[in-house]
Amino acid sequence: TLDLLKSPDTKMAIMAITTANYFLKNGQLDPDAPSDDIGQLRHDVQHPREPLSAIGMLVEGLRLRMKAGLPGITVLSCDNLPAPSGDVTRNALLRY
Protein backbone atom coordinates (compact mmCIF):
# COMPACT_ATOMS: atom_id res chain seq x y z
CA THR A 1 0.00 0.00 0.00
CA LEU A 2 1.01 3.62 -0.31
CA ASP A 3 1.36 3.92 3.47
CA LEU A 4 4.05 1.24 3.46
CA LEU A 5 5.82 2.61 0.42
CA LYS A 6 6.04 6.12 1.88
CA SER A 7 7.11 4.96 5.35
CA PRO A 8 10.64 6.01 6.35
CA ASP A 9 11.08 2.48 7.72
CA THR A 10 10.56 0.89 4.29
CA LYS A 11 13.81 -0.04 2.57
CA MET A 12 12.59 -2.51 -0.05
CA ALA A 13 9.49 -3.37 -2.06
CA ILE A 14 9.35 -7.01 -3.13
CA MET A 15 6.81 -7.82 -5.78
CA ALA A 16 5.61 -10.75 -7.80
CA ILE A 17 2.97 -9.78 -10.32
CA THR A 18 1.85 -11.52 -13.47
CA THR A 19 3.19 -10.57 -16.87
CA ALA A 20 -0.28 -9.26 -17.73
CA ASN A 21 -0.12 -6.74 -14.88
CA TYR A 22 2.85 -5.03 -16.50
CA PHE A 23 0.41 -3.96 -19.24
CA LEU A 24 2.91 -4.53 -22.00
CA LYS A 25 2.33 -4.54 -25.72
CA ASN A 26 5.33 -5.39 -27.87
CA GLY A 27 7.51 -5.01 -24.78
CA GLN A 28 6.32 -1.44 -24.06
CA LEU A 29 4.03 -0.15 -21.33
CA ASP A 30 0.66 0.41 -22.99
CA PRO A 31 -2.44 1.79 -21.21
CA ASP A 32 -4.53 0.19 -23.95
CA ALA A 33 -2.94 -3.25 -23.60
CA PRO A 34 -5.53 -6.04 -23.84
CA SER A 35 -4.50 -7.25 -20.37
CA ASP A 36 -5.83 -4.01 -18.86
CA ASP A 37 -9.41 -5.15 -19.28
CA ILE A 38 -10.52 -3.54 -16.01
CA GLY A 39 -8.83 -0.24 -16.83
CA GLN A 40 -6.38 -0.05 -13.94
CA LEU A 41 -3.51 1.46 -15.88
CA ARG A 42 -5.81 3.81 -17.80
CA HIS A 43 -7.23 4.95 -14.45
CA ASP A 44 -3.74 5.44 -13.01
CA VAL A 45 -2.59 7.55 -15.96
CA GLN A 46 -5.65 9.79 -15.53
CA HIS A 47 -5.55 9.78 -11.69
CA PRO A 48 -1.91 9.19 -10.70
CA ARG A 49 -2.48 10.14 -7.04
CA GLU A 50 -5.08 7.34 -6.67
CA PRO A 51 -3.32 4.32 -8.20
CA LEU A 52 -4.91 0.92 -8.65
CA SER A 53 -2.20 -0.98 -10.53
CA ALA A 54 1.07 -2.27 -9.09
CA ILE A 55 3.06 -0.03 -11.43
CA GLY A 56 0.98 3.02 -10.55
CA MET A 57 1.29 2.21 -6.84
CA LEU A 58 5.07 1.99 -7.06
CA VAL A 59 5.39 5.23 -9.00
CA GLU A 60 3.15 7.12 -6.58
CA GLY A 61 4.90 5.63 -3.56
CA LEU A 62 8.29 6.66 -4.93
CA ARG A 63 6.95 10.15 -5.70
CA LEU A 64 5.68 10.51 -2.13
CA ARG A 65 9.06 9.39 -0.77
CA MET A 66 10.88 11.92 -2.91
CA LYS A 67 8.45 14.68 -1.90
CA ALA A 68 9.08 13.85 1.78
CA GLY A 69 12.85 13.91 1.24
CA LEU A 70 13.18 10.19 1.98
CA PRO A 71 15.79 8.03 0.29
CA GLY A 72 14.88 5.67 -2.50
CA ILE A 73 14.10 2.02 -1.91
CA THR A 74 15.08 -1.20 -3.60
CA VAL A 75 12.36 -2.57 -5.88
CA LEU A 76 12.89 -6.31 -6.13
CA SER A 77 10.95 -7.99 -8.89
CA CYS A 78 10.48 -11.73 -8.37
CA ASP A 79 8.44 -12.22 -11.53
CA ASN A 80 8.82 -15.04 -14.00
CA LEU A 81 9.17 -13.01 -17.18
CA PRO A 82 10.73 -13.81 -20.55
CA ALA A 83 13.10 -10.84 -20.17
CA PRO A 84 15.07 -10.05 -17.00
CA SER A 85 12.37 -8.99 -14.54
CA GLY A 86 14.39 -6.08 -13.15
CA ASP A 87 14.72 -4.61 -16.63
CA VAL A 88 11.01 -5.01 -17.32
CA THR A 89 10.08 -3.41 -13.99
CA ARG A 90 12.51 -0.52 -14.49
CA ASN A 91 11.26 0.14 -18.01
CA ALA A 92 7.61 -0.01 -16.96
CA LEU A 93 8.19 2.42 -14.09
CA LEU A 94 10.14 4.87 -16.24
CA ARG A 95 7.64 4.72 -19.11
CA TYR A 96 4.72 5.24 -16.74
Side-chain angles (χ1 to χ4, degrees):
T1 68
L2 286 177
D3 289 337
L4 290 173
L5 286 171
K6 68 181 185 180
S7 168
D9 296 328
T10 298
K11 307 291 186 239
M12 181 182 291
I14 301 171
M15 58 182 228
I17 61 175
T18 66
T19 304
N21 284 322
Y22 276 100
F23 309 114
L24 302 176
K25 183 176 176 183
N26 300 323
Q28 304 295 320
L29 186 72
D30 180 11
D32 296 316
S35 60
D36 192 22
D37 59 349
I38 58 174
Q40 285 185 336
L41 189 59
R42 285 188 297 275
H43 170 275
D44 290 358
V45 169
Q46 294 172 356
H47 309 281
R49 304 300 179 253
E50 303 165 6
L52 299 176
S53 71
I55 298 300
M57 189 78 61
L58 278 171
V59 169
E60 179 61 5
L62 294 172
R63 185 194 72 79
L64 290 170
R65 291 185 71 80
M66 185 173 66
K67 181 179 175 185
L70 296 172
I73 60 173
T74 298
V75 177
L76 178 60
S77 173
C78 298
D79 305 318
N80 184 14
L81 299 171
S85 56
D87 291 345
V88 173
T89 302
R90 180 180 182 275
N91 290 338
L93 291 173
L94 291 174
R95 291 188 184 282
Y96 177 89

